[in-house]
Amino acid sequence: MALLRPPVLLLALVASVHCLPWFINVSESQGPGTILKSFPFNCTLHMPILELIHVKPPTTFFNPPSLTRWHGIYMGMVTLSSSARLDALAVNHYELQLRFTCGNYVMEGLLFVDVQRDPGYSSCAGRFASPAGEIIQVRETVTPGTQLYTLLLPGVELQRAQISIISAQDPPYFPGPFSINGQGWLLAPSQGLKGQGQKVFQLQILVTFGQNRSCHGTLKVKVLPAPSSQISFLQQAPNITIREDLAPGSEVVQVRARGFDVRYEILSPVPCPLFSIGRADGLVRTAAPLESALARGAGVAVTRLRVKAYERLRPRASVELDLTVNVRSVNRWPPRCLPAMLVTEIRETTLVGTVLNTFTCTDPDSSGSTLDYELRFYSPPGLASLCLRDRALEVNATLDCDAPGACFQHAASILVLNGDQPLTEVPVLVMVTPVNEFSPACVPHTFRIREDAGPYTLLGSVVGMDKDYPHNSIEYFISGGPSTFSVDRLSGEIHLLGSLDYELQKSYRLTVLVTDHSQDQDPTQRRSGSCTITIEVEDVNDHSPECQPPFQELTIYTPLGRSVEVTKVSCWVPQEPQRLTFSYSIVGGTSQSRFSLQGAILVYNDIMLGPPWPEQSHSYELLIRVADSGPSIPHLSTTATIIVHVVPWNASTASTRIHRVTVPSMMTPLLVTDTEVFWQPEPWFVVVLTVTSALFLLALGWLFSRLFQGSAVPSLPPVHLSSGTGRDYLFNTLTGARRWL
């Protein structure tokens, strides 16, 4: 038992497996599923693992051990697998390496299984008992009745087993029946196998051991045709080229001939110190070091071999084949190059065809040998910016650093070969440096800003562009111009620094300079460009309109049923004389829609179309709101006050007259707002109050009727109504009567 980790707290585990290794005996008659050994393990703190590490000799007869828990103790069990076929004559001893793991502690042990002979047991085994069966090959020229095969089974002789062929052997496929005796000898048919070439005869053989014990298997007999009397090589005379550094015994070529039991030998040269041939397989091998035995001429030595093939039983049936073996010399030393490494730096504007370097390489083994050169790129792979022409490394394409990732280091190697291995690798590193080729530029733009914008207001950004990479390496400056605006040096954002006044200046023109940086190997190489930025100030309405006069008092005489133009409201903004569009509305003083505005003109509308005609004058105090209109915001307004005295037209009035009383523009009208508080009762309260009032009036009427019945009503003097004062007299009389009541 091998202890991998010393136990500290697993005394119970040690006590359970102290008897390792185990030795068990098992009969060869035991079949699949047989329990070979069961043993308890104690592992209370972890989930244990029981493994079968390996079996010696290797076999699949044993299942992986199982581990089950029973009453707090784990039981391990080793059983035979479904493929188990124990045979004490074949293998009588097995060693099983087991490993038990409990947490961090691992223990290993051996289980020895000895297979015992069982005289009373015998079974078919091996390929004979497999589904494919045992296959034997015989010539069709075999002698009739000759022993072809011997069936070897354990216990066949001791138990006097009976062996018989149970499959059908009917003609015409079978020339005659095969037979097998009690010793397991398979005999050819008495008619022989002549003419049965390429046929396969399948025989089912039954082996019986005593009572009710038997097994069966399959035997296939493949008949080979008789060998031909002619022998020939399968291939034409080959021409082989090998290296001179092949070790003795290395394979050169294999020749194959058609015939029965063919043998091979070298006829010339004799003796042949450099090559040998296998008599049975025709494999030509090197017999000695070629480099020391061959004289170097032009670098290649030629050896011609004549090989003979013949049948072993008939040596006179033979054929010959000529082989040509070319032995090529091998270079011992790789070529040497100057320079051995190339590290250079070029600008991206380097012209195509510029030679970066010319390599000079020589071969120490042969000064006159021809060398081959190959350029291989590593980073970036497959780039065609460089090329190799006649040992000269040149610029092959335009080098451009003005795209992301386009300007980089070109890592490559120049491989120098002399036919094949060994070779020389010359590392090449070409670093392309950027050149500031283009001037930056920006697009002219127009920004708009309100005149009431505060300081540090962002107007927008100037977008600079540069064809050189990196494209955003640009700085921004304002060339001259007012100090009211500033531009951020890195982002190009334009900010407002001071205040604006649309009435003083409506637009500004700024010249923004864009300058690149960090786009050339020389940091002092910088280029600049410029563009014009126009800033338009948007007008903001910051002055209220003024009316002249702000207060008017007018008296008009109006004919009945006609509209009369009262006055025209005249307003403007003194600070902005160009603002001429205003809106007018009556916000107070009008009743029954007697006044309306037609633009800036106030019109009185007489809506009395029939009697009674008003004879008394009325006064109206109108409030007219005047607001500026148009796209500018906010909209500011003012209020003009107009008092209109309306006198109805009569016969004494010859024409409509308007009496104007104005207030100087220096006077500011005072608008007084009076808020009246009123009470709005609930609907149910109104209903109750109405019903109560009606009842009260009925009661009061009944009371008055009772009083008039008991007293005399004073007589009234006669009244003479005239056309001029009739209405006034009637009104006064009714008023006195109401007071008397």
Side-chain angles (χ1 to χ4, degrees):
M1 177 181 64
L3 184 61
L4 300 184
R5 297 184 180 178
V8 178
L9 299 176
L10 294 178
L11 299 178
L13 174 63
V14 176
S16 300
V17 296
H18 72 281
C19 56
L20 286 174
W22 290 292
F23 296 87
I24 62 174
N25 296 325
V26 60
S27 173
E28 65 179 352
S29 62
Q30 298 298 325
T34 303
I35 300 176
L36 300 180
K37 182 68 177 177
S38 61
F39 32 82
F41 291 101
N42 196 354
C43 182
T44 59
L45 300 179
H46 303 278
M47 178 64 69
I49 300 174
L50 183 60
E51 302 172 277
L52 177 60
I53 305 303
H54 63 81
V55 179
K56 186 192 305 182
T59 182
T60 60
F61 289 175
F62 303 95
N63 287 320
S66 62
L67 192 63
T68 59
R69 188 172 184 176
W70 183 75
H71 294 294
I73 299 176
Y74 290 93
M75 297 296 298
M77 187 177 300
V78 179
T79 59
L80 292 178
S81 68
S82 59
S83 62
R85 298 291 186 273
L86 299 180
D87 186 356
L89 295 179
V91 179
N92 60 3
H93 181 77
Y94 295 95
E95 294 183 8
L96 282 68
Q97 181 75 23
L98 300 176
R99 175 185 295 171
F100 180 79
T101 304
C102 180
N104 295 329
Y105 298 94
V106 180
M107 303 185 69
E108 292 187 359
L110 293 175
L111 175 60
F112 298 101
V113 180
D114 292 328
V115 181
Q116 304 293 328
R117 285 289 308 275
D118 187 355
Y121 170 78
S122 179
S123 62
C124 300
R127 287 182 295 180
F128 171 74
S130 65
E134 181 81 15
I135 300 177
I136 62 174
Q137 295 180 352
V138 297
R139 291 283 182 183
E140 65 176 347
T141 57
V142 68
T143 304
T146 303
Q147 178 183 348
L148 304 179
Y149 175 77
T150 301
L151 180 60
L152 298 178
L153 294 177
V156 171
E157 298 178 358
L158 297 178
Q159 301 180 41
R160 298 180 180 180
Q162 296 180 2
I163 306 176
S164 61
I165 300 176
I166 60 176
S167 59
Q169 304 184 59
D170 299 332
Y173 189 79
F174 281 81
F178 291 85
S179 61
I180 189 169
N181 58 20
Q183 296 178 347
W185 294 358
L186 180 68
L187 305 178
S190 58
Q191 294 84 356
L193 297 175
K194 194 67 175 179
Q196 306 298 320
Q198 303 298 336
K199 278 189 177 182
V200 177
F201 301 99
Q202 182 169 329
L203 305 175
Q204 296 290 334
I205 300 177
L206 176 65
V207 182
T208 304
F209 305 90
Q211 296 181 353
N212 300 326
R213 294 183 57 197
S214 63
C215 67
H216 65 276
T218 303
L219 184 63
K220 297 179 180 179
V221 181
K222 183 177 181 180
V223 181
L224 301 178
S228 174
S229 60
Q230 296 182 355
I231 184 172
S232 62
F233 281 99
L234 300 180
Q235 72 268 33
Q236 300 295 328
N239 193 341
I240 305 101
T241 300
I242 60 175
R243 295 163 53 93
E244 67 171 348
D245 57 351
L246 289 181
S250 300
E251 296 182 6
V252 177
V253 68
Q254 185 177 20
V255 295
R256 302 293 296 273
R258 182 185 296 106
F260 178 73
D261 199 4
V262 179
R263 295 293 184 264
Y264 304 90
E265 66 178 13
I266 296 177
L267 295 181
S268 66
V270 177
C272 185
L274 300 180
F275 302 97
S276 64
I277 189 170
R279 292 180 58 83
D281 56 10
L283 185 60
V284 179
R285 302 175 182 269
T286 58
L290 303 179
E291 55 187 2
S292 60
L294 297 179
R296 299 200 179 202
V300 177
V302 179
T303 301
R304 290 179 174 84
L305 302 177
R306 175 165 294 182
V307 178
K308 173 184 176 182
Y310 60 94
E311 293 184 354
R312 182 178 64 86
L313 300 180
R314 298 188 304 153
R316 294 184 178 181
S318 63
V319 66
E320 297 178 358
L321 178 68
D322 291 330
L323 300 178
T324 301
V325 180
N326 301 313
V327 181
R328 187 179 59 188
S329 62
V330 178
N331 291 325
R332 289 288 177 269
W333 305 101
R336 297 176 181 176
C337 298
L338 290 177
M341 175 186 295
L342 176 61
V343 179
T344 184
E345 185 178 276
I346 60 175
R347 296 168 62 86
E348 67 169 320
T349 54
T350 303
L351 299 177
V352 176
T354 302
V355 177
L356 304 182
N357 207 312
T358 301
F359 297 89
T360 303
C361 302
T362 57
D363 186 4
D365 294 318
S366 177
S367 58
S369 60
T370 302
L371 302 179
D372 298 324
Y373 298 83
E374 178 183 343
L375 179 62
R376 179 179 300 175
F377 283 97
Y378 296 107
S379 175
L383 193 65
S385 299
L386 305 176
C387 67
L388 190 66
R389 290 190 179 92
D390 193 20
R391 301 183 294 110
L393 184 64
E394 299 179 359
V395 177
N396 187 46
T398 302
L399 303 176
D400 189 8
C401 294
D402 299 327
C407 195
F408 33 60
Q409 297 179 350
H410 298 267
S413 291
I414 296 179
L415 305 181
V416 184
L417 306 95
N418 184 8
D420 54 4
Q421 301 291 343
L423 58 82
T424 297
E425 183 176 357
V426 180
V428 176
L429 180 62
V430 179
M431 294 173 288
V432 182
T433 59
V435 177
N436 193 358
E437 303 176 78
F438 307 98
S439 298
C442 56
V443 180
H445 196 78
T446 299
F447 298 103
R448 290 177 174 83
I449 184 172
R450 292 166 52 92
E451 66 172 328
D452 59 349
Y456 307 108
T457 299
L458 175 63
L459 281 74
S461 299
V462 181
V463 180
M465 299 170 291
D466 196 344
K467 295 182 180 180
D468 294 307
Y469 184 80
H471 305 299
N472 58 351
S473 297
I474 298 176
E475 295 180 350
Y476 302 86
F477 305 93
I478 293 180
S479 176
S483 59
T484 310
F485 304 94
S486 68
V487 63
D488 188 271
R489 183 175 63 90
L490 299 179
S491 65
E493 295 180 349
I494 298 179
H495 294 267
L496 175 65
L497 297 182
S499 59
L500 301 174
D501 193 342
Y502 177 81
E503 287 72 22
L504 297 180
Q505 187 169 352
K506 298 180 177 59
S507 64
Y508 298 85
R509 295 175 65 87
L510 306 178
T511 300
V512 178
L513 299 180
V514 286
T515 304
D516 57 17
H517 63 88
S518 304
Q519 294 176 334
D520 196 285
Q521 189 74 6
D522 184 2
T524 61
Q525 295 295 326
R526 307 182 65 176
R527 292 176 176 268
S528 300
S530 64
C531 61
T532 300
I533 303 299
T534 302
I535 301 175
E536 295 181 355
V537 181
E538 294 182 349
D539 187 18
V540 177
N541 191 11
D542 50 0
H543 298 285
S544 302
E546 297 180 5
C547 296
Q548 183 64 30
F551 177 83
Q552 300 184 56
E553 185 175 0
L554 307 172
T555 301
I556 62 173
Y557 300 87
T558 62
L560 297 178
R562 294 178 58 185
S563 298
V564 177
E565 180 179 325
V566 179
T567 184
K568 181 178 182 180
V569 182
S570 178
C571 301
W572 71 92
V573 180
Q575 296 83 357
E576 304 177 22
Q578 76 280 359
R579 191 181 301 277
L580 301 175
T581 304
F582 301 96
S583 63
Y584 303 87
S585 60
I586 301 175
V587 297
T590 183
S591 63
Q592 300 179 358
S593 302
R594 290 184 177 273
F595 293 90
S596 63
L597 286 170
Q598 298 179 0
I601 300 175
L602 178 64
V603 178
Y604 173 76
N605 302 311
D606 191 354
I607 60 176
M608 300 296 293
L609 301 178
W613 309 110
E615 295 184 358
Q616 294 182 354
S617 63
H618 294 276
S619 297
Y620 301 91
E621 183 176 348
L622 305 177
L623 298 179
I624 299 177
R625 180 178 179 271
V626 181
D628 51 10
S629 59
S632 60
I633 55 175
H635 297 293
L636 304 180
S637 63
T638 188
T639 303
T641 304
I642 301 178
I643 299 176
V644 181
H645 302 284
V646 180
V647 179
W649 177 86
N650 53 36
S652 61
T653 304
S655 61
T656 300
R657 295 181 298 173
I658 299 177
H659 177 67
R660 300 178 182 272
V661 177
T662 61
V663 178
S665 60
M666 296 301 294
M667 297 179 62
T668 303
L670 178 62
L671 180 61
V672 179
T673 303
D674 184 16
T675 304
E676 294 183 0
V677 180
F678 66 96
W679 175 61
Q680 182 177 0
E682 296 291 335
W684 65 267
F685 183 79
V686 175
V687 174
V688 173
L689 182 61
T690 302
V691 174
T692 304
S693 300
L695 295 176
F696 175 74
L697 291 176
L698 290 176
L700 187 61
W702 179 80
L703 181 61
F704 280 155
S705 64
R706 300 288 295 178
L707 290 177
F708 281 131
Q709 290 178 3
S711 60
V713 179
S715 60
L716 296 176
V719 179
H720 300 279
L721 299 176
S722 62
S723 60
T725 62
R727 289 189 298 268
D728 295 337
Y729 180 79
L730 179 61
F731 176 78
N732 294 332
T733 302
L734 293 176
T735 302
R738 185 181 62 181
R739 291 175 180 175
W740 181 84
L741 290 174

